């Protein structure tokens, strides 16, 4: 696990169908402490992925922390 990756910032959203509701902006560590809800999506910590509509799943975010 790369400790510095836990302190990067992500935006967390709740996806329901074609609708997306913002949950908040937090560190990767805080995002991974949220309950494991399949409809939560996370922006990539190193890119402005919100603009490109690129979101990560919880598993992908956990893999990012370990890389």
């Amino acid at each position: 696990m790369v400790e510095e990756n836990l302190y990067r910032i992500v935006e967390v959203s709740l996806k329901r169908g074609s609708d997306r509701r913002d949950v908040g902006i937090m560190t990767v560590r805080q995002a991974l402490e949220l309950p494991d809800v399949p409809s939560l999506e996370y922006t990539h910590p190193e890119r402005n992925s919100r603009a490109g509509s690129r979101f990560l799943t919880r598993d992908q975010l956990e893999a990012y922390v370990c890389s």
Side-chain angles (χ1 to χ4, degrees):
M1 179 184 309
V2 181
E3 187 74 21
E4 69 185 41
N5 287 347
L6 290 172
Y7 298 101
R8 296 193 182 271
I9 301 297
V10 294
E11 183 176 338
V12 181
S13 300
L14 180 66
K15 174 107 173 159
R16 290 208 173 140
S18 63
D19 191 30
R20 177 175 280 113
R21 301 284 180 170
D22 294 336
V23 174
I25 296 173
M26 56 193 77
T27 65
V28 171
R29 176 187 299 262
Q30 291 169 321
L32 291 174
E33 289 174 351
L34 292 172
D36 189 6
V37 178
S39 55
L40 285 180
E41 296 181 324
Y42 313 86
T43 57
H44 195 287
E46 292 183 0
R47 300 182 199 137
N48 182 6
S49 50
R50 175 87 180 197
S53 298
R54 172 75 171 112
F55 290 88
L56 302 176
T57 64
R58 182 184 186 92
D59 291 339
Q60 291 170 323
L61 189 61
E62 288 173 342
Y64 166 79
V65 170
C66 294
S67 64

Short mmCIF file of all heavy atoms in Angstrom, two decimals:
data_model
loop_
_atom_site.label_atom_id
_atom_site.label_comp_id
_atom_site.label_asym_id
_atom_site.label_seq_id
_atom_site.Cartn_x
_atom_site.Cartn_y
_atom_site.Cartn_z
N MET A 1 0.85 -1.18 0.00
CA MET A 1 0.00 0.00 0.00
C MET A 1 0.89 1.24 0.00
O MET A 1 1.84 1.31 0.75
CB MET A 1 -0.89 -0.01 1.24
CG MET A 1 -1.78 1.19 1.34
SD MET A 1 -2.78 1.31 2.83
CE MET A 1 -3.54 -0.26 2.89
N VAL A 2 0.55 2.18 -0.83
CA VAL A 2 1.29 3.44 -0.91
C VAL A 2 0.55 4.46 -0.04
O VAL A 2 -0.55 4.90 -0.38
CB VAL A 2 1.41 3.92 -2.37
CG1 VAL A 2 2.20 5.21 -2.43
CG2 VAL A 2 2.07 2.86 -3.23
N GLU A 3 1.15 4.79 1.08
CA GLU A 3 0.52 5.67 2.08
C GLU A 3 0.09 7.02 1.50
O GLU A 3 -1.00 7.50 1.80
CB GLU A 3 1.49 5.88 3.24
CG GLU A 3 0.90 6.63 4.40
CD GLU A 3 -0.08 5.81 5.23
OE1 GLU A 3 -0.05 4.58 5.18
OE2 GLU A 3 -0.88 6.44 5.94
N GLU A 4 0.92 7.61 0.64
CA GLU A 4 0.56 8.93 0.10
C GLU A 4 -0.70 8.89 -0.76
O GLU A 4 -1.42 9.88 -0.87
CB GLU A 4 1.73 9.52 -0.70
CG GLU A 4 2.02 8.80 -1.99
CD GLU A 4 3.26 9.32 -2.69
OE1 GLU A 4 4.25 9.60 -2.01
OE2 GLU A 4 3.21 9.45 -3.91
N ASN A 5 -1.00 7.75 -1.37
CA ASN A 5 -2.22 7.64 -2.18
C ASN A 5 -3.48 7.74 -1.33
O ASN A 5 -4.53 8.12 -1.84
CB ASN A 5 -2.24 6.33 -2.96
CG ASN A 5 -1.25 6.33 -4.11
OD1 ASN A 5 -0.72 7.35 -4.48
ND2 ASN A 5 -0.99 5.16 -4.65
N LEU A 6 -3.40 7.42 -0.06
CA LEU A 6 -4.57 7.51 0.83
C LEU A 6 -4.99 8.94 1.09
O LEU A 6 -6.12 9.19 1.50
CB LEU A 6 -4.28 6.81 2.16
CG LEU A 6 -4.17 5.30 2.09
CD1 LEU A 6 -3.69 4.76 3.44
CD2 LEU A 6 -5.49 4.67 1.71
N TYR A 7 -4.10 9.90 0.85
CA TYR A 7 -4.39 11.30 1.16
C TYR A 7 -4.74 12.12 -0.07
O TYR A 7 -4.94 13.33 0.01
CB TYR A 7 -3.22 11.92 1.92
CG TYR A 7 -3.02 11.21 3.23
CD1 TYR A 7 -2.02 10.26 3.38
CD2 TYR A 7 -3.89 11.43 4.30
CE1 TYR A 7 -1.88 9.57 4.58
CE2 TYR A 7 -3.75 10.75 5.50
CZ TYR A 7 -2.74 9.82 5.63
OH TYR A 7 -2.60 9.14 6.81
N ARG A 8 -4.85 11.48 -1.21
CA ARG A 8 -5.30 12.18 -2.42
C ARG A 8 -6.81 12.42 -2.32
O ARG A 8 -7.51 11.75 -1.58
CB ARG A 8 -4.97 11.38 -3.66
CG ARG A 8 -3.47 11.23 -3.85
CD ARG A 8 -3.16 10.71 -5.22
NE ARG A 8 -1.75 10.51 -5.39
CZ ARG A 8 -0.90 11.45 -5.83
NH1 ARG A 8 -1.35 12.64 -6.13
NH2 ARG A 8 0.37 11.18 -5.99
N ILE A 9 -7.30 13.36 -3.09
CA ILE A 9 -8.70 13.78 -3.02
C ILE A 9 -9.51 13.12 -4.14
O ILE A 9 -9.07 13.06 -5.27
CB ILE A 9 -8.81 15.31 -3.13
CG1 ILE A 9 -8.03 15.99 -2.01
CG2 ILE A 9 -10.27 15.77 -3.14
CD1 ILE A 9 -8.55 15.69 -0.62
N VAL A 10 -10.70 12.66 -3.78
CA VAL A 10 -11.64 12.11 -4.76
C VAL A 10 -13.02 12.71 -4.51
O VAL A 10 -13.31 13.20 -3.42
CB VAL A 10 -11.75 10.56 -4.68
CG1 VAL A 10 -10.45 9.91 -5.10
CG2 VAL A 10 -12.18 10.09 -3.33
N GLU A 11 -13.84 12.66 -5.53
CA GLU A 11 -15.25 13.04 -5.38
C GLU A 11 -16.06 11.75 -5.42
O GLU A 11 -15.85 10.90 -6.28
CB GLU A 11 -15.67 13.96 -6.51
CG GLU A 11 -17.09 14.44 -6.37
CD GLU A 11 -17.49 15.43 -7.44
OE1 GLU A 11 -16.59 16.05 -8.02
OE2 GLU A 11 -18.69 15.56 -7.69
N VAL A 12 -16.96 11.61 -4.48
CA VAL A 12 -17.79 10.42 -4.38
C VAL A 12 -19.21 10.76 -4.83
O VAL A 12 -19.75 11.79 -4.43
CB VAL A 12 -17.81 9.88 -2.92
CG1 VAL A 12 -18.64 8.62 -2.82
CG2 VAL A 12 -16.39 9.64 -2.42
N SER A 13 -19.76 9.89 -5.68
CA SER A 13 -21.11 10.08 -6.20
C SER A 13 -21.91 8.79 -6.04
O SER A 13 -21.36 7.71 -6.04
CB SER A 13 -21.08 10.44 -7.68
OG SER A 13 -20.37 11.63 -7.89
N LEU A 14 -23.22 8.97 -5.93
CA LEU A 14 -24.14 7.84 -5.87
C LEU A 14 -24.86 7.78 -7.21
O LEU A 14 -25.48 8.74 -7.62
CB LEU A 14 -25.15 8.05 -4.73
CG LEU A 14 -26.18 6.96 -4.53
CD1 LEU A 14 -25.50 5.68 -4.08
CD2 LEU A 14 -27.20 7.40 -3.49
N LYS A 15 -24.73 6.65 -7.89
CA LYS A 15 -25.32 6.49 -9.23
C LYS A 15 -26.60 5.67 -9.12
O LYS A 15 -26.62 4.59 -8.54
CB LYS A 15 -24.32 5.78 -10.12
CG LYS A 15 -24.83 5.41 -11.46
CD LYS A 15 -24.26 6.29 -12.50
CE LYS A 15 -24.71 5.71 -13.85
NZ LYS A 15 -24.70 6.52 -14.90
N ARG A 16 -27.67 6.22 -9.67
CA ARG A 16 -28.96 5.52 -9.74
C ARG A 16 -29.50 5.69 -11.14
O ARG A 16 -29.97 6.77 -11.50
CB ARG A 16 -29.94 6.10 -8.74
CG ARG A 16 -29.58 5.77 -7.33
CD ARG A 16 -30.80 5.73 -6.46
NE ARG A 16 -30.43 5.25 -5.14
CZ ARG A 16 -30.91 5.75 -4.02
NH1 ARG A 16 -31.78 6.73 -4.06
NH2 ARG A 16 -30.54 5.24 -2.87
N GLY A 17 -29.41 4.62 -11.93
CA GLY A 17 -29.84 4.70 -13.32
C GLY A 17 -28.98 5.70 -14.07
O GLY A 17 -27.77 5.61 -14.06
N SER A 18 -29.61 6.67 -14.69
CA SER A 18 -28.85 7.70 -15.41
C SER A 18 -28.62 8.94 -14.54
O SER A 18 -28.01 9.90 -14.98
CB SER A 18 -29.60 8.09 -16.68
OG SER A 18 -30.85 8.66 -16.34
N ASP A 19 -29.09 8.91 -13.30
CA ASP A 19 -28.95 10.03 -12.38
C ASP A 19 -27.74 9.82 -11.48
O ASP A 19 -27.42 8.71 -11.08
CB ASP A 19 -30.21 10.15 -11.52
CG ASP A 19 -30.26 11.44 -10.74
OD1 ASP A 19 -29.71 12.46 -11.21
OD2 ASP A 19 -30.85 11.43 -9.64
N ARG A 20 -27.03 10.90 -11.16
CA ARG A 20 -25.87 10.83 -10.29
C ARG A 20 -26.01 11.94 -9.23
O ARG A 20 -26.23 13.09 -9.57
CB ARG A 20 -24.59 11.01 -11.08
CG ARG A 20 -23.34 11.01 -10.21
CD ARG A 20 -22.06 11.08 -11.03
NE ARG A 20 -21.77 9.76 -11.54
CZ ARG A 20 -21.81 9.41 -12.81
NH1 ARG A 20 -22.10 10.30 -13.73
NH2 ARG A 20 -21.53 8.20 -13.19
N ARG A 21 -25.89 11.57 -7.97
CA ARG A 21 -25.96 12.53 -6.86
C ARG A 21 -24.60 12.59 -6.18
O ARG A 21 -24.03 11.57 -5.82
CB ARG A 21 -26.98 12.09 -5.82
CG ARG A 21 -28.37 11.95 -6.33
CD ARG A 21 -28.99 13.28 -6.52
NE ARG A 21 -30.35 13.11 -7.02
CZ ARG A 21 -31.20 14.06 -7.09
NH1 ARG A 21 -30.87 15.27 -6.71
NH2 ARG A 21 -32.40 13.84 -7.58
N ASP A 22 -24.09 13.81 -5.99
CA ASP A 22 -22.81 13.98 -5.32
C ASP A 22 -22.96 13.68 -3.83
O ASP A 22 -23.90 14.14 -3.19
CB ASP A 22 -22.29 15.40 -5.52
CG ASP A 22 -21.96 15.69 -6.97
OD1 ASP A 22 -21.69 14.73 -7.72
OD2 ASP A 22 -21.96 16.87 -7.35
N VAL A 23 -22.03 12.90 -3.31
CA VAL A 23 -21.99 12.60 -1.88
C VAL A 23 -21.04 13.57 -1.19
O VAL A 23 -21.36 14.13 -0.16
CB VAL A 23 -21.54 11.13 -1.64
CG1 VAL A 23 -21.34 10.85 -0.16
CG2 VAL A 23 -22.55 10.17 -2.24
N GLY A 24 -19.85 13.76 -1.78
CA GLY A 24 -18.92 14.70 -1.19
C GLY A 24 -17.52 14.55 -1.75
O GLY A 24 -17.23 13.65 -2.53
N ILE A 25 -16.65 15.44 -1.29
CA ILE A 25 -15.25 15.43 -1.65
C ILE A 25 -14.49 15.01 -0.39
O ILE A 25 -14.71 15.56 0.69
CB ILE A 25 -14.79 16.81 -2.14
CG1 ILE A 25 -15.56 17.16 -3.42
CG2 ILE A 25 -13.29 16.84 -2.36
CD1 ILE A 25 -15.33 18.57 -3.90
N MET A 26 -13.61 14.02 -0.55
CA MET A 26 -12.89 13.48 0.61
C MET A 26 -11.59 12.84 0.17
O MET A 26 -11.34 12.72 -1.02
CB MET A 26 -13.77 12.47 1.35
CG MET A 26 -14.27 11.32 0.50
SD MET A 26 -15.58 10.36 1.27
CE MET A 26 -17.00 11.41 1.06
N THR A 27 -10.80 12.44 1.15
CA THR A 27 -9.58 11.72 0.83
C THR A 27 -9.92 10.30 0.42
O THR A 27 -11.02 9.80 0.71
CB THR A 27 -8.61 11.68 2.03
OG1 THR A 27 -9.20 10.90 3.07
CG2 THR A 27 -8.25 13.07 2.51
N VAL A 28 -8.99 9.64 -0.23
CA VAL A 28 -9.19 8.24 -0.62
C VAL A 28 -9.43 7.39 0.63
O VAL A 28 -10.30 6.52 0.63
CB VAL A 28 -7.97 7.72 -1.42
CG1 VAL A 28 -8.06 6.22 -1.64
CG2 VAL A 28 -7.87 8.45 -2.76
N ARG A 29 -8.70 7.65 1.69
CA ARG A 29 -8.89 6.90 2.94
C ARG A 29 -10.33 7.02 3.44
O ARG A 29 -10.97 6.03 3.79
CB ARG A 29 -7.94 7.39 4.02
CG ARG A 29 -8.16 6.69 5.37
CD ARG A 29 -7.32 7.31 6.48
NE ARG A 29 -5.92 7.20 6.20
CZ ARG A 29 -5.12 6.25 6.70
NH1 ARG A 29 -5.62 5.34 7.49
NH2 ARG A 29 -3.85 6.23 6.41
N GLN A 30 -10.86 8.23 3.46
CA GLN A 30 -12.24 8.44 3.92
C GLN A 30 -13.24 7.75 2.99
O GLN A 30 -14.21 7.17 3.44
CB GLN A 30 -12.55 9.94 3.99
CG GLN A 30 -11.80 10.65 5.09
CD GLN A 30 -11.92 12.16 4.97
OE1 GLN A 30 -11.89 12.71 3.88
NE2 GLN A 30 -12.06 12.82 6.11
N ALA A 31 -12.98 7.82 1.68
CA ALA A 31 -13.88 7.18 0.72
C ALA A 31 -13.92 5.67 0.93
O ALA A 31 -14.99 5.06 0.86
CB ALA A 31 -13.43 7.51 -0.70
N LEU A 32 -12.77 5.07 1.22
CA LEU A 32 -12.73 3.62 1.43
C LEU A 32 -13.31 3.22 2.78
O LEU A 32 -13.63 2.05 2.99
CB LEU A 32 -11.30 3.11 1.29
CG LEU A 32 -10.74 3.18 -0.14
CD1 LEU A 32 -9.27 2.79 -0.14
CD2 LEU A 32 -11.55 2.33 -1.09
N GLU A 33 -13.48 4.16 3.69
CA GLU A 33 -14.12 3.88 4.98
C GLU A 33 -15.65 3.93 4.90
O GLU A 33 -16.32 3.51 5.83
CB GLU A 33 -13.62 4.85 6.05
CG GLU A 33 -12.18 4.60 6.44
CD GLU A 33 -11.62 5.65 7.40
OE1 GLU A 33 -12.29 6.68 7.63
OE2 GLU A 33 -10.51 5.45 7.88
N LEU A 34 -16.18 4.43 3.78
CA LEU A 34 -17.63 4.44 3.59
C LEU A 34 -18.13 3.01 3.46
O LEU A 34 -17.36 2.11 3.08
CB LEU A 34 -17.98 5.22 2.32
CG LEU A 34 -17.73 6.72 2.33
CD1 LEU A 34 -17.95 7.30 0.94
CD2 LEU A 34 -18.60 7.41 3.34
N PRO A 35 -19.39 2.77 3.74
CA PRO A 35 -19.94 1.42 3.55
C PRO A 35 -19.77 0.97 2.10
O PRO A 35 -19.75 1.79 1.18
CB PRO A 35 -21.42 1.58 3.89
CG PRO A 35 -21.52 2.82 4.68
CD PRO A 35 -20.39 3.71 4.25
N ASP A 36 -19.63 -0.32 1.91
CA ASP A 36 -19.45 -0.88 0.58
C ASP A 36 -20.79 -0.92 -0.15
O ASP A 36 -21.54 -1.89 -0.06
CB ASP A 36 -18.85 -2.28 0.67
CG ASP A 36 -18.44 -2.82 -0.69
OD1 ASP A 36 -18.50 -2.07 -1.68
OD2 ASP A 36 -18.04 -3.99 -0.75
N VAL A 37 -21.10 0.17 -0.84
CA VAL A 37 -22.36 0.32 -1.57
C VAL A 37 -22.02 0.24 -3.06
O VAL A 37 -21.27 1.08 -3.56
CB VAL A 37 -23.04 1.67 -1.24
CG1 VAL A 37 -24.30 1.85 -2.04
CG2 VAL A 37 -23.28 1.79 0.25
N PRO A 38 -22.55 -0.75 -3.77
CA PRO A 38 -22.20 -0.93 -5.19
C PRO A 38 -22.49 0.28 -6.07
O PRO A 38 -21.84 0.47 -7.09
CB PRO A 38 -23.06 -2.12 -5.63
CG PRO A 38 -23.38 -2.83 -4.38
CD PRO A 38 -23.45 -1.79 -3.30
N SER A 39 -23.43 1.14 -5.70
CA SER A 39 -23.78 2.28 -6.55
C SER A 39 -22.91 3.51 -6.29
O SER A 39 -23.12 4.54 -6.92
CB SER A 39 -25.25 2.63 -6.38
OG SER A 39 -25.56 2.86 -5.03
N LEU A 40 -21.93 3.42 -5.39
CA LEU A 40 -21.00 4.53 -5.19
C LEU A 40 -19.92 4.50 -6.26
O LEU A 40 -19.42 3.43 -6.62
CB LEU A 40 -20.34 4.47 -3.80
CG LEU A 40 -21.20 4.86 -2.62
CD1 LEU A 40 -20.39 4.74 -1.33
CD2 LEU A 40 -21.75 6.25 -2.75
N GLU A 41 -19.58 5.67 -6.76
CA GLU A 41 -18.51 5.81 -7.75
C GLU A 41 -17.55 6.89 -7.28
O GLU A 41 -17.94 7.81 -6.55
CB GLU A 41 -19.08 6.19 -9.11
CG GLU A 41 -19.98 5.14 -9.71
CD GLU A 41 -20.50 5.54 -11.07
OE1 GLU A 41 -20.79 6.73 -11.29
OE2 GLU A 41 -20.63 4.64 -11.90
N TYR A 42 -16.31 6.79 -7.71
CA TYR A 42 -15.24 7.67 -7.24
C TYR A 42 -14.49 8.23 -8.44
O TYR A 42 -14.21 7.50 -9.38
CB TYR A 42 -14.27 6.89 -6.36
CG TYR A 42 -14.96 6.03 -5.33
CD1 TYR A 42 -15.39 4.74 -5.65
CD2 TYR A 42 -15.23 6.50 -4.06
CE1 TYR A 42 -16.05 3.95 -4.72
CE2 TYR A 42 -15.89 5.72 -3.12
CZ TYR A 42 -16.29 4.45 -3.47
OH TYR A 42 -16.96 3.66 -2.56
N THR A 43 -14.14 9.52 -8.39
CA THR A 43 -13.30 10.08 -9.44
C THR A 43 -11.88 9.55 -9.24
O THR A 43 -11.50 9.17 -8.14
CB THR A 43 -13.28 11.62 -9.41
OG1 THR A 43 -12.85 12.07 -8.13
CG2 THR A 43 -14.64 12.20 -9.75
N HIS A 44 -11.11 9.55 -10.31
CA HIS A 44 -9.71 9.09 -10.21
C HIS A 44 -8.91 10.15 -9.44
O HIS A 44 -9.00 11.34 -9.74
CB HIS A 44 -9.12 8.87 -11.60
CG HIS A 44 -7.86 8.09 -11.57
ND1 HIS A 44 -6.67 8.62 -11.11
CD2 HIS A 44 -7.60 6.81 -11.90
CE1 HIS A 44 -5.74 7.70 -11.18
NE2 HIS A 44 -6.28 6.59 -11.65
N PRO A 45 -8.12 9.74 -8.47
CA PRO A 45 -7.38 10.70 -7.65
C PRO A 45 -6.33 11.52 -8.39
O PRO A 45 -5.93 12.57 -7.91
CB PRO A 45 -6.69 9.82 -6.60
CG PRO A 45 -7.43 8.53 -6.62
CD PRO A 45 -7.99 8.38 -7.99
N GLU A 46 -5.88 11.07 -9.55
CA GLU A 46 -4.81 11.78 -10.24
C GLU A 46 -5.28 12.51 -11.50
O GLU A 46 -4.48 13.13 -12.17
CB GLU A 46 -3.70 10.82 -10.61
CG GLU A 46 -2.97 10.29 -9.39
CD GLU A 46 -1.82 9.40 -9.76
OE1 GLU A 46 -1.57 9.19 -10.96
OE2 GLU A 46 -1.17 8.91 -8.84
N ARG A 47 -6.55 12.42 -11.84
CA ARG A 47 -7.04 13.05 -13.06
C ARG A 47 -8.30 13.84 -12.78
O ARG A 47 -9.01 13.55 -11.84
CB ARG A 47 -7.39 11.98 -14.11
CG ARG A 47 -6.25 11.13 -14.48
CD ARG A 47 -6.68 10.14 -15.54
NE ARG A 47 -5.73 9.06 -15.56
CZ ARG A 47 -6.03 7.79 -15.65
NH1 ARG A 47 -7.28 7.43 -15.76
NH2 ARG A 47 -5.10 6.88 -15.66
N ASN A 48 -8.59 14.77 -13.66
CA ASN A 48 -9.87 15.46 -13.59
C ASN A 48 -10.87 14.59 -14.35
O ASN A 48 -11.33 14.92 -15.42
CB ASN A 48 -9.79 16.86 -14.20
CG ASN A 48 -11.09 17.60 -14.09
OD1 ASN A 48 -12.03 17.14 -13.46
ND2 ASN A 48 -11.16 18.76 -14.72
N SER A 49 -11.18 13.45 -13.77
CA SER A 49 -12.01 12.47 -14.48
C SER A 49 -13.49 12.83 -14.47
O SER A 49 -14.25 12.29 -15.23
CB SER A 49 -11.79 11.08 -13.90
OG SER A 49 -11.93 11.10 -12.52
N ARG A 50 -13.90 13.74 -13.62
CA ARG A 50 -15.31 14.16 -13.63
C ARG A 50 -15.64 14.79 -14.98
O ARG A 50 -16.70 14.55 -15.52
CB ARG A 50 -15.54 15.15 -12.48
CG ARG A 50 -16.91 15.76 -12.46
CD ARG A 50 -17.85 14.89 -11.72
NE ARG A 50 -19.17 15.49 -11.70
CZ ARG A 50 -20.11 15.16 -10.89
NH1 ARG A 50 -19.88 14.25 -9.99
NH2 ARG A 50 -21.27 15.71 -10.94
N ALA A 51 -14.71 15.57 -15.51
CA ALA A 51 -14.95 16.23 -16.79
C ALA A 51 -15.06 15.21 -17.92
O ALA A 51 -15.80 15.41 -18.86
CB ALA A 51 -13.84 17.23 -17.08
N GLY A 52 -14.34 14.10 -17.79
CA GLY A 52 -14.38 13.08 -18.83
C GLY A 52 -15.35 11.96 -18.53
O GLY A 52 -15.36 10.95 -19.22
N SER A 53 -16.14 12.13 -17.48
CA SER A 53 -17.13 11.13 -17.07
C SER A 53 -16.49 9.77 -16.77
O SER A 53 -17.07 8.74 -17.01
CB SER A 53 -18.22 10.97 -18.12
OG SER A 53 -18.91 12.18 -18.26
N ARG A 54 -15.28 9.77 -16.26
CA ARG A 54 -14.58 8.53 -15.92
C ARG A 54 -14.62 8.35 -14.41
O ARG A 54 -14.04 9.12 -13.66
CB ARG A 54 -13.13 8.58 -16.42
CG ARG A 54 -12.26 7.45 -15.97
CD ARG A 54 -12.59 6.18 -16.76
NE ARG A 54 -11.60 5.18 -16.45
CZ ARG A 54 -11.85 4.08 -15.76
NH1 ARG A 54 -13.05 3.82 -15.34
NH2 ARG A 54 -10.90 3.22 -15.52
N PHE A 55 -15.33 7.32 -13.97
CA PHE A 55 -15.44 7.04 -12.54
C PHE A 55 -14.88 5.66 -12.25
O PHE A 55 -14.86 4.79 -13.11
CB PHE A 55 -16.90 7.11 -12.09
CG PHE A 55 -17.44 8.51 -12.10
CD1 PHE A 55 -18.02 9.04 -13.24
CD2 PHE A 55 -17.35 9.30 -10.97
CE1 PHE A 55 -18.51 10.33 -13.26
CE2 PHE A 55 -17.85 10.60 -10.97
CZ PHE A 55 -18.42 11.11 -12.11
N LEU A 56 -14.42 5.47 -11.02
CA LEU A 56 -13.87 4.20 -10.57
C LEU A 56 -14.84 3.49 -9.65
O LEU A 56 -15.61 4.13 -8.93
CB LEU A 56 -12.56 4.43 -9.80
CG LEU A 56 -11.43 5.16 -10.51
CD1 LEU A 56 -10.27 5.37 -9.54
CD2 LEU A 56 -10.99 4.41 -11.73
N THR A 57 -14.76 2.17 -9.62
CA THR A 57 -15.49 1.39 -8.63
C THR A 57 -14.65 1.33 -7.36
O THR A 57 -13.48 1.71 -7.36
CB THR A 57 -15.74 -0.05 -9.13
OG1 THR A 57 -14.47 -0.70 -9.28
CG2 THR A 57 -16.51 -0.07 -10.45
N ARG A 58 -15.22 0.82 -6.30
CA ARG A 58 -14.49 0.68 -5.04
C ARG A 58 -13.27 -0.24 -5.23
O ARG A 58 -12.19 0.06 -4.73
CB ARG A 58 -15.41 0.13 -3.96
CG ARG A 58 -14.75 0.00 -2.62
CD ARG A 58 -15.70 -0.64 -1.61
NE ARG A 58 -15.12 -0.65 -0.30
CZ ARG A 58 -15.27 0.29 0.61
NH1 ARG A 58 -16.01 1.35 0.34
NH2 ARG A 58 -14.70 0.20 1.78
N ASP A 59 -13.44 -1.34 -5.95
CA ASP A 59 -12.32 -2.26 -6.19
C ASP A 59 -11.19 -1.57 -6.95
O ASP A 59 -10.02 -1.78 -6.65
CB ASP A 59 -12.79 -3.49 -6.96
CG ASP A 59 -13.69 -4.39 -6.14
OD1 ASP A 59 -13.65 -4.31 -4.88
OD2 ASP A 59 -14.44 -5.18 -6.74
N GLN A 60 -11.53 -0.76 -7.93
CA GLN A 60 -10.52 -0.03 -8.69
C GLN A 60 -9.81 1.00 -7.81
O GLN A 60 -8.60 1.19 -7.93
CB GLN A 60 -11.15 0.65 -9.91
CG GLN A 60 -11.62 -0.32 -10.97
CD GLN A 60 -12.45 0.35 -12.03
OE1 GLN A 60 -13.24 1.26 -11.75
NE2 GLN A 60 -12.30 -0.10 -13.27
N LEU A 61 -10.56 1.64 -6.91
CA LEU A 61 -9.94 2.61 -6.01
C LEU A 61 -8.99 1.91 -5.03
O LEU A 61 -7.90 2.40 -4.77
CB LEU A 61 -11.03 3.38 -5.25
CG LEU A 61 -10.56 4.57 -4.42
CD1 LEU A 61 -9.92 5.62 -5.31
CD2 LEU A 61 -11.72 5.18 -3.65
N GLU A 62 -9.40 0.75 -4.53
CA GLU A 62 -8.51 -0.03 -3.65
C GLU A 62 -7.25 -0.46 -4.38
O GLU A 62 -6.16 -0.43 -3.82
CB GLU A 62 -9.25 -1.24 -3.10
CG GLU A 62 -10.29 -0.88 -2.07
CD GLU A 62 -11.15 -2.07 -1.63
OE1 GLU A 62 -11.18 -3.10 -2.36
OE2 GLU A 62 -11.78 -1.96 -0.58
N ALA A 63 -7.39 -0.86 -5.65
CA ALA A 63 -6.23 -1.26 -6.45
C ALA A 63 -5.29 -0.07 -6.65
O ALA A 63 -4.06 -0.23 -6.65
CB ALA A 63 -6.69 -1.82 -7.79
N TYR A 64 -5.85 1.12 -6.84
CA TYR A 64 -5.04 2.33 -7.00
C TYR A 64 -4.18 2.56 -5.75
O TYR A 64 -3.00 2.89 -5.86
CB TYR A 64 -5.93 3.55 -7.26
CG TYR A 64 -5.21 4.85 -7.10
CD1 TYR A 64 -4.39 5.32 -8.12
CD2 TYR A 64 -5.30 5.59 -5.93
CE1 TYR A 64 -3.68 6.50 -7.98
CE2 TYR A 64 -4.62 6.77 -5.78
CZ TYR A 64 -3.80 7.23 -6.81
OH TYR A 64 -3.11 8.40 -6.65
N VAL A 65 -4.76 2.37 -4.59
CA VAL A 65 -4.03 2.59 -3.33
C VAL A 65 -2.85 1.64 -3.23
O VAL A 65 -1.79 2.01 -2.73
CB VAL A 65 -4.97 2.44 -2.11
CG1 VAL A 65 -4.19 2.43 -0.82
CG2 VAL A 65 -6.00 3.55 -2.10
N CYS A 66 -3.02 0.44 -3.71
CA CYS A 66 -1.97 -0.58 -3.61
C CYS A 66 -0.90 -0.45 -4.69
O CYS A 66 0.12 -1.12 -4.60
CB CYS A 66 -2.58 -1.97 -3.67
SG CYS A 66 -3.63 -2.32 -2.23
N SER A 67 -1.14 0.38 -5.70
CA SER A 67 -0.16 0.49 -6.79
C SER A 67 0.94 1.47 -6.49
O SER A 67 0.87 2.30 -5.66
CB SER A 67 -0.87 0.91 -8.07
OG SER A 67 -1.44 2.18 -7.96
#
